[in-house]
Amino acid sequence: MTQSVDSLFESAIERYKAGEEPKALIPVFKDLCDRTPKSSASWTCLAWLYLLENQPNNALKAAQKAVKLNPQDPQARVNLAAAMLETEQKGVRQHIEIVQQIMVLDAEIRQEIIDNIQDGLTRKPDWEGLIRIQKWLSGN
């Protein structure tokens, strides 16, 4: 019996939150992106997992797709900025500025971004690009 795309997505998110390795979840999110290619959330998650697994080129492609599908998603832009830093691309500042604007307008999203960055640094403490993004977003 096949799971619905929504339940598969929720299940994968729960597995991530429970501490499952990103490497094991990448195929799940790749499948979700194949099944629902217009799901910004799936592309955003896939980009994050690629970043955690030191696959910045794959992360860049997934994050670009996520931002194209939903330009107002601040997490997609954080992922894109991180991937751009790791692949030495130019243009990071515009994405950071958009995230800053969204964070000022919505306290809930602001906290979500802060929590996601903390999660990333817990899983990958030496993540230089994310540390830089964290500093930029906190105004330091």
Side-chain angles (χ1 to χ4, degrees):
M1 192 162 139
T2 56
Q3 283 183 293
S4 76
V5 171
D6 290 341
S7 69
L8 189 59
F9 180 86
E10 291 304 320
S11 167
I13 292 291
E14 289 307 313
R15 288 168 57 190
Y16 175 84
K17 287 179 181 177
E20 190 162 336
E21 290 296 316
K23 185 185 213 174
L25 293 170
I26 286 172
V28 176
F29 280 98
K30 281 172 77 174
D31 180 51
L32 283 164
C33 291
D34 288 344
R35 288 186 188 195
T36 56
K38 295 190 187 228
S39 169
S40 171
S42 294
W43 287 105
T44 299
C45 291
L46 183 60
W48 183 254
L49 295 171
Y50 279 139
L51 286 164
L52 287 169
E53 283 296 309
N54 300 313
Q55 297 181 37
N57 292 319
N58 287 335
L60 181 65
K61 290 175 192 162
Q64 287 170 328
K65 183 86 170 172
V67 169
K68 184 177 181 183
L69 289 168
N70 185 358
Q72 298 307 313
D73 181 348
Q75 186 61 52
R77 288 195 180 266
V78 167
N79 294 354
L80 181 55
M84 291 173 75
L85 287 171
E86 292 188 21
T87 57
E88 300 180 0
Q89 305 285 316
K90 295 188 184 302
V92 173
R93 178 178 289 177
Q94 72 174 350
H95 299 292
I96 296 299
E97 288 174 353
I98 290 169
V99 173
Q100 287 172 324
Q101 292 168 4
I102 294 169
M103 288 174 69
V104 166
L105 296 174
D106 190 324
E108 188 175 319
I109 287 176
R110 180 179 189 281
Q111 191 58 52
E112 193 175 298
I113 294 296
I114 290 168
D115 292 347
N116 289 345
I117 289 172
Q118 194 53 54
D119 172 72
L121 293 175
T122 299
R123 290 174 183 258
K124 188 176 167 184
D126 59 345
W127 191 348
E128 291 178 20
L130 194 59
I131 292 167
R132 287 173 67 188
I133 290 168
Q134 181 183 43
K135 286 178 182 174
W136 291 331
L137 292 177
S138 68
N140 294 330

